[in-house]
């Protein structure tokens, strides 16, 4: 781009401010500034994930900066008004630059500059002169033949002095494509920006501004959405997402906007016949593809097609890309276990994406089934602290992305841990927590445990409660123990059984003291007795620790704690055996496996008091229904972008690798059948190639000239 060209486009208004404005807009410094801003904005758009829910940005930046960044369009940079305005100004700037310089470029391509004075040739860097031992006409014929043989386009001007010929100026040029490359590169920028503007949401925004279209922010069925939220079938450009479950069909694309969605109908239906997904051993998808049938509304034809990643299908100028996959409404059956010690366990059925009302004691909760994942390949090779499940997120990978297949550093032991379900429990005030529970037990640190995850919001990782699996790989033994721990009568029976077995007729005078200690420890652990009179009910191992700190001298705490924990473990073991007897199950054997189960059961019971929900739902069975997420786009501007990219390649290649050169040869009769030759070469760039080319021309033009005369 040129900032100082004075030929070409002229402003004839006579207005100095207008001329200055045009000069500024069409200048190189203005265009470079715009390109710099676009590059910075593109970097921001890459770093900040676009079109995320606003709550995600609040969690990331805080309420104040989230509002500020949202106001300037940081969450949808490529469709922000200021970004589109910058693109528009870049188009105008580059177009004006082309308009100003094209006439000059075309004029230079047509002219040979044969009117140059012969004395001016001495001012060039590459020049030579000498005498030829041949006549004027013979020299001109030889020079003409030399120019044609070397690809020079030449024009001769005969200069006379009266009736006599004073000499002939031969003007030649080569490499004019360099100038064409300049125009091609600048035209490419215009075409690419126009294609980007057209295939962006500028057309959609224009319909919102001029046709009264509004984003839809509600819920419900697509058929019930009012017309003002729907775009026309004739909409020339759009890009959005379409979710189609297996066995279903759809023809309405959702165009995400910052404050809702717009609905774009298609002239055909997309039916998903089958979704195919294959996984690497890491659990990451290796291949996912969709076998679809396109039902054309106008012709009634059913066109089968297969859509894969980077292999879209096309119909009526609309491209159908495989974007991702999701749940298409899988049918779930779950078992709801009370965690607030009220009521019996019961079954719940529903489909992913649906909601139902549950009773959690005195309160009503809305259960929202958010997702089903049938394959979870996780890295289970990193040991974790087994003493506090509140700090355990399975392994490092689970701490960040449980169910995502992400890998943790260190030794990797990849294993499919089975299906998992994600759901939300929403209370009467509308507050919700998200839960993520595994269907099958997972072996961690040598113990098979069920994982029940919970988090307060999307910005947090899941925290997992480890519930030990019994000899039948079931959660039922622990759940019965959890319920029995809150029954005072069962606690007393368990204490009596424990004391009877511990004393066994030996030192009966210790029975009363052991009973008191066992009762105190069990009641503290169950949260049925405060640490201090009148204090709050806490429960768990923390209650025992607080009791020791408040009532036992520091020197005796370690010994007393060890005794109290052994008593607690013994009573809980008896309580477990009692619940199994009541369920008609054989007692647990007194082996190491049972000991490991009881150790984990005590830890889980301790942390269960912190579980922030009245119900724990475990997945029992499911009918998996998959869905494909297609990105559907009509993008006619892509052809402008393709053409612009082609011109950009041609232009850059021409400007970098093609050198424009001009050559002037002055032939002047010297008498006695001799001719005086003076030659000069001009090039847009001084390179070693130019030096070698001129030396070759000198040798061809002055073959018989002595060296001392040729190099002046």
């Amino acid at each position: 781009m040129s900032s100082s060209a004075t030929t070409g486009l002229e402003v004839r208004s006579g207005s100095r401010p207008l001329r200055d404005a045009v000069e500024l807009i069409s200048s190189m410094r203005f265009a470079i500034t715009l390109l710099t801003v676009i590059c910075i904005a593109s970097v921001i758009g890459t770093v900040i994930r676009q079109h995320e829910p606003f709550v995600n940005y609040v969690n990331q930046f805080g309420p104040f900066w989230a509002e500020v960044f949202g106001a300037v369009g940081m969450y949808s940079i490529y469709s922000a008004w200021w970004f589109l305005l910058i693109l528009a100004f870049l188009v105008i700037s580059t177009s004006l630059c082309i308009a100003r310089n094209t006439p000059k470029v075309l004029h230079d391509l047509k002219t040979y500059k044969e009117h140059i004075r012969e004395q001016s040739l001495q001012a060039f860097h590459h020049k030579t002169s000498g005498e030829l031992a041949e006549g004027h006409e013979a020299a001109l014929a030889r020079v003409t033949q030399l120019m044609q043989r070397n690809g020079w386009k030449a024009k001769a001007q005969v200069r006379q002095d009266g009736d006599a010929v004073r000499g002939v100026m031969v003007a030649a040029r080569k490499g004019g494509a360099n100038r064409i490359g300049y125009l091609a590169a600048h035209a490419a920028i215009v075409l690419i920006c126009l294609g980007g503007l057209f295939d962006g949401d500028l057309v959609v925004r224009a319909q919102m501004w001029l046709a009264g279209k509004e984003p839809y922010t509600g819920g419900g069925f697509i058929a019930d959405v009012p017309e003002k939220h729907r775009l026309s079938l004739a909409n020339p450009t759009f890009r959005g997402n379409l979710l189609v479950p297996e066995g279903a069909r759809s023809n309405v694309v959702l165009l995400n906007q910052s404050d809702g969605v717009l609905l774009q109908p298609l002239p055909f239906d997309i039916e998903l016949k089958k979704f195919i997904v294959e996984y690497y051993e890491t659990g990451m998808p290796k291949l996912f593809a969709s076998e679809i049938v396109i039902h054309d509304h106008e012709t009634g034809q059913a066109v089968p097609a297969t859509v894969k990643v980077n292999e879209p299908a096309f119909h009526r100028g609309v491209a159908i890309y495989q974007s991702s996959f999701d749940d298409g409404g899988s049918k779930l059956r779950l078992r709801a276990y009370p965690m607030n010690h009220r009521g019996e366990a019961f079954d719940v059925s529903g489909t992913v994406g649906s909601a139902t009302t549950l009773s959690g004691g005195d309160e009503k909760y809305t259960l929202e089934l958010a997702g089903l994942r049938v394959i979870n390949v996780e890295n289970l090779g990193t040991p974790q602290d087994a003493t506090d499940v509140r700090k355990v997120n399975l392994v490092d990978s689970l701490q960040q992305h449980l169910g995502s297949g992400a890998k943790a550093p260190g030794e990797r032991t990849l294993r499919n841990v089975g299906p998992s379900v994600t759901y939300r429990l929403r209370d009467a005030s509308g507050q919700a927590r998200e839960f993520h529970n595994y269907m099958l037990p997972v072996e961690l640190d040598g113990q098979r445990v069920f994982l029940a995850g919970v988090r307060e919001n999307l910005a947090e990782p899941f925290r997992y409660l480890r519930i030990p699996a019994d000899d039948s790989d079931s959660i039922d033994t622990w759940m019965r123990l959890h319920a029995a721990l809150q029954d005072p009568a069962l606690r007393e029976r368990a204490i009596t059984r424990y004391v009877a077995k511990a004393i066994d007729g030996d030192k009966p005078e210790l029975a009363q003291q052991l009973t008191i200690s066992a009762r105190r420890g069990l009641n503290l652990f169950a949260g049925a007795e405060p640490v201090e009179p009148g204090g709050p009910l806490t429960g768990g191992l923390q209650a025992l620790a607080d009791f020791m700190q408040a009532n036992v001298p520091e020197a005796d705490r370690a010994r007393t704690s060890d005794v109290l924990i052994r008593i607690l473990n013994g009573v809980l073991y008896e309580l477990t055996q009692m619940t199994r007897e009541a369920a008609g199950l054989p007692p647990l054997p007194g082996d190491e496996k049972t000991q490991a189960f009881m150790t984990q059961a005590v830890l889980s019971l301790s942390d269960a008091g912190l579980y922030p929900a009245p119900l724990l739902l475990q997945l029992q069975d499911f009918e998996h229904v998959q869905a494909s997420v297609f990105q559907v786009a009509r993008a006619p501007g892509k052809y402008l972008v393709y053409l612009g990219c082609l011109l950009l390649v041609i232009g850059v290649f021409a400007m970098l690798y093609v050198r424009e050169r001009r050559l002037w040869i002055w032939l002047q009769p010297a008498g006695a059948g001799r001719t005086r030759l003076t030659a000069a070469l001009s090039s847009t760039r001084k390179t070693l190639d130019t030096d070698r080319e001129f030396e070759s021309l000198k040798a061809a033009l002055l073959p018989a000239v002595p060296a001392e005369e040729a190099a002046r």
Side-chain angles (χ1 to χ4, degrees):
M1 300 178 191
S2 175
S3 60
S4 59
T6 57
T7 62
L9 182 67
E10 296 182 358
V11 180
R12 303 182 181 276
S13 63
S15 170
R16 180 68 182 179
L18 182 58
R19 289 198 300 271
D20 291 343
V22 173
E23 179 74 20
L24 172 64
I25 293 175
S26 61
S27 65
M28 179 182 291
R29 62 181 182 274
F30 185 77
I32 291 177
T33 301
L34 294 178
L35 283 172
T36 302
V37 175
I38 290 175
C39 290
I40 294 174
S42 299
V43 170
I44 295 174
T46 303
V47 173
I48 300 178
R49 299 185 65 178
Q50 304 289 287
H51 300 290
E52 291 283 305
F54 184 72
V55 66
N56 290 9
Y57 300 118
V58 173
N59 294 330
Q60 184 176 1
F61 303 116
F64 175 76
W65 288 110
E67 291 284 352
V68 173
F69 293 158
V72 297
M74 289 295 185
Y75 311 140
S76 55
I77 282 182
Y78 304 113
S79 59
W81 65 268
W82 53 268
F83 187 84
L84 299 177
L85 186 63
I86 291 174
L87 282 181
F89 266 106
L90 183 59
V91 169
I92 295 173
S93 174
T94 311
S95 300
L96 287 175
C97 188
I98 294 174
R100 293 179 58 188
N101 290 279
T102 297
K104 181 178 183 299
V105 170
L106 295 179
H107 179 266
D108 288 344
L109 289 175
K110 293 178 181 178
T111 60
Y112 291 82
K113 299 185 178 180
E114 70 276 11
H115 300 289
I116 189 173
R117 295 184 302 169
E118 55 268 25
Q119 294 85 353
S120 300
L121 302 184
Q122 299 300 323
F124 288 89
H125 174 73
H126 295 95
K127 61 183 182 293
T128 188
S129 63
E131 278 196 8
L132 301 175
E134 56 186 342
H136 177 267
E137 292 184 359
L140 178 60
R142 185 173 65 84
V143 167
T144 302
Q145 185 179 8
L146 177 65
M147 295 296 99
Q148 292 176 349
R149 188 169 61 248
N150 287 276
W152 291 84
K153 294 182 179 180
K155 184 177 182 180
Q157 182 190 57
V158 180
R159 299 181 180 179
Q160 294 182 324
D161 194 0
D163 292 335
V165 176
R166 184 163 57 89
V168 176
M169 179 65 74
V170 178
R173 57 182 173 84
K174 195 176 184 181
N178 178 273
R179 297 294 187 95
I180 299 298
Y182 170 90
L183 296 178
H186 286 68
I189 295 176
V190 174
L191 291 175
I192 292 173
C193 290
L194 285 175
L197 285 170
F198 192 69
D199 282 350
D201 65 348
L202 187 62
V203 175
V204 173
R205 285 179 175 271
Q207 296 181 62
M208 294 170 61
W209 295 332
L210 304 177
K213 300 298 182 180
E214 299 177 3
Y216 182 66
T217 58
F221 295 101
I222 290 179
D224 299 331
V225 177
E227 188 64 29
K228 65 179 180 180
H229 306 298
R230 299 173 180 268
L231 300 178
S232 169
L233 275 173
N235 184 20
T237 175
F238 59 85
R239 185 180 298 272
N241 295 320
L242 177 65
L243 185 144
V244 185
E246 283 183 328
R249 54 199 284 182
S250 179
N251 70 336
V252 178
V253 179
L254 301 181
L255 278 57
N256 291 325
Q257 302 295 310
S258 59
D259 52 350
V261 295
L262 290 169
L263 275 60
Q264 173 64 59
L266 298 175
F268 52 85
D269 290 354
I270 299 177
E271 179 185 3
L272 179 61
K273 303 296 290 186
K274 183 180 180 182
F275 178 76
I276 305 167
V277 60
E278 298 177 4
Y279 295 90
Y280 291 105
E281 63 176 6
T282 61
M284 298 299 292
K286 177 173 64 176
L287 166 71
F288 48 95
S290 300
E291 296 180 0
I292 64 173
V293 177
I294 301 173
H295 300 272
D296 193 284
H297 293 171
E298 182 176 335
T299 63
Q301 289 182 324
V303 182
T306 300
V307 182
K308 300 180 181 179
V309 177
N310 298 325
E311 296 182 20
F314 297 90
H315 189 75
R316 287 186 173 270
V318 177
I320 306 168
Y321 300 90
Q322 181 71 61
S323 176
S324 62
F325 58 93
D326 207 338
D327 195 284
S330 297
K331 297 177 175 59
L332 309 180
R333 185 172 64 84
L334 305 101
R335 184 74 170 169
Y337 294 94
M339 296 295 286
N340 58 0
H341 327 302
R342 300 176 183 176
E344 299 293 331
F346 57 93
D347 290 333
V348 179
S349 298
T351 59
V352 173
S354 66
T356 186
T357 302
L358 300 179
S359 176
D362 298 331
E363 296 187 31
K364 297 293 184 180
Y365 289 85
T366 300
L367 169 64
E368 300 172 359
L369 298 175
L372 169 71
R373 186 180 177 92
V374 297
I375 295 178
N376 291 278
V377 178
E378 301 296 350
N379 174 21
L380 305 180
T382 304
Q384 291 287 341
D385 179 12
T387 61
D388 186 356
V389 296
R390 288 166 291 179
K391 298 179 180 178
V392 174
N393 292 342
L394 189 55
V395 286
D396 291 342
S397 65
L398 302 187
Q399 186 176 11
Q400 298 179 7
H401 304 292
L402 183 58
S404 68
K407 296 176 286 185
E411 182 183 357
R412 289 176 169 82
T413 304
L414 299 174
R415 189 182 311 158
N416 178 19
V417 295
S420 64
V421 62
T422 303
Y423 62 89
R424 287 182 290 270
L425 281 179
R426 192 177 302 276
D427 59 24
S429 65
Q431 296 297 317
R433 291 184 178 91
E434 190 170 37
F435 300 85
H436 186 216
N437 298 347
Y438 282 84
M439 180 180 182
L440 303 175
V442 177
E443 185 170 339
L444 293 177
D445 303 329
Q447 176 67 45
R448 292 180 64 77
V449 294
F450 290 91
L451 295 167
V454 60
R455 64 181 176 183
E456 302 295 328
N457 55 67
L458 296 177
E460 295 181 356
F462 283 104
R463 296 171 293 127
Y464 287 89
L465 177 67
R466 293 182 178 185
I467 301 176
D470 58 20
D471 54 347
S472 301
D473 262 353
S474 169
I475 199 175
D476 292 337
T477 296
W478 185 89
M479 282 296 179
R480 285 192 293 265
L481 175 60
H482 178 261
L485 186 61
Q486 304 306 314
D487 189 327
L490 291 178
R491 290 201 302 267
E492 286 298 323
R493 285 180 55 195
I495 293 170
T496 302
R497 286 181 52 161
Y498 169 74
V499 172
K501 290 183 178 180
I503 299 300
D504 194 21
D506 185 24
K507 297 181 180 180
E509 67 276 6
L510 297 179
Q512 184 177 1
Q513 182 61 39
L514 184 57
T515 300
I516 294 173
S517 298
R519 183 180 296 117
R520 172 60 62 87
L522 190 59
N523 288 343
L524 286 171
F525 185 79
E529 181 177 322
V531 174
E532 297 180 357
L537 298 175
T538 54
L541 296 175
Q542 186 62 47
L544 295 179
D546 293 341
F547 176 80
M548 290 293 173
Q549 186 173 6
N551 298 278
V552 179
E554 185 174 358
D556 298 330
R557 285 177 192 168
R559 180 178 57 83
T560 306
S561 297
D562 184 61
V563 172
L564 190 58
I565 290 298
R566 286 204 304 269
I567 293 174
L568 175 65
N569 287 340
V571 176
L572 289 175
Y573 175 76
E574 294 299 331
L575 187 60
T576 302
Q577 300 290 41
M578 289 168 50
T579 60
R580 290 179 64 87
E581 292 171 7
L585 298 174
L588 294 175
D591 53 15
E592 292 184 359
K593 185 176 181 181
T594 298
Q595 184 178 359
F597 171 85
M598 291 305 305
T599 299
Q600 184 59 52
V602 172
L603 296 173
S604 303
L605 290 171
S606 176
D607 287 304
L610 302 175
Y611 193 73
L615 296 169
L616 186 150
L617 277 70
Q618 188 197 21
L619 182 63
Q620 300 291 309
D621 196 8
F622 61 87
E623 180 183 338
H624 192 206
V625 178
Q626 299 189 103
S628 275
V629 179
F630 299 106
Q631 185 180 84
V632 183
R634 177 183 286 155
K638 66 182 180 183
Y639 300 109
L640 291 177
V641 175
Y642 294 158
L643 178 59
C645 291
L646 177 62
L647 289 179
L648 186 61
V649 172
I650 294 173
V652 171
F653 181 86
M655 290 190 293
L656 292 179
Y657 298 103
V658 177
R659 294 172 292 112
E660 183 184 15
R661 290 97 72 202
R662 288 185 180 271
L663 177 67
W664 292 272
I665 302 174
W666 170 246
L667 298 173
Q668 184 178 12
R674 300 179 70 84
T675 303
R676 182 72 180 178
L677 181 146
T678 302
L681 177 69
S682 172
S683 177
T684 53
R685 292 193 302 274
K686 294 181 180 180
T687 63
L688 293 177
D689 290 339
T690 304
D691 296 339
R692 286 193 290 267
E693 184 178 25
F694 187 66
E695 292 299 324
S696 176
L697 284 171
K698 283 169 57 177
L701 290 172
L702 302 170
V705 177
E708 62 273 10
E709 295 182 11
R712 290 203 299 264

